[in-house]
Amino acid sequence: MTTTQPDPTTTGHLSVALVTLGCARNEVDSEELAGRLEADGFRLVSDPADAQTVVVNTCGFVEAAKKDSVDTLLEAADLKDGGRTQAVVAVGCLAERYGKDLATSLPEADAVLGFDDYPDIAARLRSIIAGDAHHAHTPQDRRRLLPISPVDRDAATVSIPGHEVATSATVGEGGPATGPRTLRRRLEGGPMAPLKLASGCDRRCTFCAIPSFRGSFVSRRPSDVLHEAQWLAGQGVKELFLVSENSTSYGKDLGDLRLLETLVPELAAVDGVERVRVSYLQPAETRPGLIETIAGTPGVAPYFDLSFQHASATVLRRMRRFGDPESFLGLLEQIRALAPHAGVRSNVIVGFPGETEDDLATLCSFLEEARMDVTGVFGYSDEDGTEAAGFDDKLDEDEVRARTEHVTALVEELNAQRAEERVGETVVVLVESVEDGVVEGRAAHQGPEVDGTTTVDLDPAHAELGAFVTAQVTGTDGVDLVATVEGGRR
């Protein structure tokens, strides 16, 4: 969960706090909302209890995320009892996905705003604070808002969070000083920042509802991405974390499916940026040229976030995905031939409808051979509006839970073993935290928040946030590493 930082220079304006749940893509969307609000006179505050309006950017991915979003909205609503808070507003994926149904079931929220409300977010909040009624939208399949053919899509015709580019010069301090003025205002400090490549997805995975409320795949133009990267570097960002629903599709709607191979080196060359990390790669779309770019470009982390989801060809076909153990292991072999110490992470779904004991054994065997750094394990559950929700060969909930626990225990052991294999390896660590005498950061194979950390033996008095240090791995704790500094700051 993230909250905004206070801006004392705009006292006297309507105050707003943004609370962000979910993924790094949501963080970018919140910063766009913050930029719009600040540009239109709102004062951003960090503590929801100090805000006249609390905006909760919700997550609607899986049941646990939905519950977390609802609980956060209820906590914010409690602040209205005798406090400064006058309104609580839901935005984000849960709000977009359920619209008026969420508003009806959660009267504690004063309004539920969809993505189409984002361009006029300041006016919407002022109206809500004034007591005007807001009618939540009726959810629709946002894939239908743009043409089927990717090259015929015009992103300017729909509201796509994280993509907006303003032509007005009246943008708050969150916007770049030159080039297209993106409406973005950093809400968190630190030397790493997510940078959105694209939004939406054209895949039709039977278990996933995201494309229906995030819409069809739309790339941001390279010039917009580069200008934002330059601005982020000017804000002290050292690592760019490239995010989207499917980064391997970047450029297909711009007429060049290999555009990412061109853009990534340009981002790595931005003055002030020392590391670029690409996330959300689809295995079936991961091209040899893209592997070479990520594995061999100076300043680009040899890091591969591969969405395998399963290994059984039978289960993958039912998921409407492609692959099998041989093709996946072949992909990992290509990666490690170019970058032996590359970081690899993935997610898998256990207990998918129709999954047999043999399918589960195939998955476990693949995980043992794959030697990945981190693997997220999710037990299958029905998602509203997905094809898989209508499948008739579902496993019992207790069986799904048992299989999930089994695979989770397996990957915890395998991931810990993989970390141990890195003992003696030289890593370059981005220092992100100096607290209670402990200096902590991430090596190139560790993505933000989900892939573990590396603790280095720097003197905290001389440790600098945002510095890169070269160190040798001397120990492990699960997926976390302990390292001894070799050459100090790089």
Side-chain angles (χ1 to χ4, degrees):
M1 179 187 299
T2 58
T3 58
T4 68
Q5 297 298 313
D7 183 356
T9 66
T10 55
T11 55
H13 295 243
L14 290 171
S15 57
V16 60
L18 285 97
V19 180
T20 306
L21 305 173
C23 65
R25 300 184 296 273
N26 248 19
E27 292 180 30
V28 177
D29 297 348
S30 284
E31 292 189 352
E32 178 186 283
L33 291 174
R36 289 183 177 280
L37 290 168
E38 187 174 61
D40 210 352
F42 276 77
R43 178 170 60 91
L44 303 176
V45 299
S46 59
D47 188 347
D50 294 333
Q52 291 163 289
T53 305
V54 180
V55 177
V56 179
N57 191 352
T58 61
C59 178
F61 178 45
V62 293
E63 200 60 38
K66 297 176 193 175
K67 182 179 183 304
D68 191 21
S69 294
V70 170
D71 289 346
T72 302
L73 286 163
L74 291 174
E75 289 174 8
D78 287 342
L79 297 174
K80 293 189 293 183
D81 294 335
R84 179 178 175 81
T85 303
Q86 300 175 31
V88 173
V89 178
V91 299
C93 291
L94 190 71
E96 176 62 39
R97 185 175 182 182
Y98 292 104
K100 63 179 184 179
D101 290 338
L102 178 63
T104 299
S105 63
L106 195 69
E108 291 86 352
D110 297 278
V112 174
L113 304 183
F115 295 155
D116 291 333
D117 292 304
Y118 282 23
D120 299 314
I121 185 67
R124 295 286 188 274
L125 294 194
R126 284 195 173 90
S127 175
I128 293 163
I129 293 172
D132 298 336
H134 176 81
H135 300 287
H137 69 287
T138 299
Q140 61 178 319
D141 188 336
R142 293 189 71 85
R143 291 171 293 191
R144 298 176 181 174
L145 301 180
L146 292 169
I148 294 177
S149 173
V151 295
D152 291 335
R153 294 172 188 164
D154 180 2
T157 63
V158 294
S159 177
I160 305 177
H163 282 230
E164 300 301 323
V165 176
T167 56
S168 170
T170 58
V171 178
E173 294 179 1
T178 61
R181 294 177 176 268
T182 52
L183 294 179
R184 180 173 178 179
R185 204 276 204 180
R186 287 206 75 193
L187 300 181
E188 291 290 318
M192 184 284 301
L195 175 58
K196 187 173 282 193
L197 288 173
S199 287
C201 184
D202 288 340
R203 301 185 72 89
R204 295 295 183 266
C205 301
T206 58
F207 57 83
C208 184
I210 290 175
S212 65
F213 56 86
R214 275 290 183 178
S216 299
F217 184 87
V218 178
S219 303
R220 296 184 66 196
R221 294 195 172 277
S223 58
D224 293 342
V225 178
L226 281 167
H227 281 301
E228 190 164 323
Q230 291 162 358
W231 172 70
L232 287 169
Q235 300 287 306
V237 171
K238 301 298 182 182
E239 178 179 314
L240 301 175
F241 184 42
L242 308 185
V243 299
S244 71
E245 275 78 18
N246 179 4
S247 297
T248 37
S249 282
Y250 179 75
K252 73 175 186 178
D253 51 323
L254 302 178
D256 185 357
L257 188 55
R258 291 174 173 78
L259 195 55
L260 190 58
E261 286 95 306
T262 302
L263 178 61
V264 166
E266 293 181 13
L267 291 169
V270 170
D271 188 28
V273 171
E274 297 196 43
R275 189 156 72 192
V276 174
R277 185 182 304 276
V278 186
S279 65
Y280 303 106
L281 304 176
Q282 291 290 342
E285 299 177 20
T286 303
R287 307 169 291 279
L290 181 57
I291 296 173
E292 293 171 5
T293 298
I294 295 175
T297 303
V300 177
Y303 173 84
F304 294 82
D305 177 10
L306 296 162
S307 178
F308 289 126
Q309 301 299 352
H310 210 280
S312 164
T314 302
V315 174
L316 287 165
R317 283 195 296 271
R318 289 176 63 80
M319 289 180 170
R320 213 182 296 282
R321 295 178 68 86
F322 304 94
D324 51 45
E326 291 74 24
S327 64
F328 290 165
L329 291 171
L331 177 59
L332 294 176
E333 185 177 352
Q334 292 178 54
I335 290 169
R336 287 167 175 154
L338 294 172
H341 300 301
V344 179
R345 81 167 328 273
S346 190
N347 296 306
V348 296
I349 297 174
V350 179
F352 192 77
E355 181 190 69
T356 65
E357 291 284 354
D358 286 344
D359 293 326
L360 183 65
T362 296
L363 172 61
C364 292
S365 295
F366 164 72
L367 292 171
E368 290 171 356
E369 292 188 69
R371 294 172 44 247
M372 291 186 284
D373 292 278
V374 175
T375 309
V377 181
F378 295 87
Y380 172 80
S381 62
D382 288 338
E383 280 297 317
D384 298 335
T386 62
E387 185 177 349
F391 289 173
D392 58 6
D393 50 357
K394 297 190 178 84
L395 278 66
D396 180 85
E397 286 187 12
D398 290 339
E399 178 63 20
V400 173
R401 185 179 304 110
R403 293 187 182 191
T404 303
E405 291 173 353
H406 172 70
V407 176
T408 298
L410 174 63
V411 300
E412 286 179 352
E413 180 180 354
L414 293 172
N415 294 163
Q417 290 174 3
R418 178 64 183 130
E420 290 172 1
E421 292 175 4
R422 293 190 180 275
V423 173
E425 183 178 314
T426 297
V427 294
V428 178
V429 180
L430 171 62
V431 176
E432 293 185 301
S433 172
V434 182
E435 293 184 3
D436 300 325
V438 177
V439 180
E440 191 174 67
R442 290 178 297 105
H445 71 279
Q446 296 171 318
E449 297 186 2
V450 292
D451 292 345
T453 62
T454 299
T455 301
V456 293
D457 62 347
L458 278 175
D459 180 352
H462 298 97
E464 181 182 346
L465 292 178
F468 284 84
V469 297
T470 301
Q472 185 177 59
V473 180
T474 56
T476 67
D477 181 7
V479 297
D480 297 327
L481 304 182
V482 178
T484 299
V485 174
E486 294 179 339
R489 181 178 178 183
R490 188 180 64 151

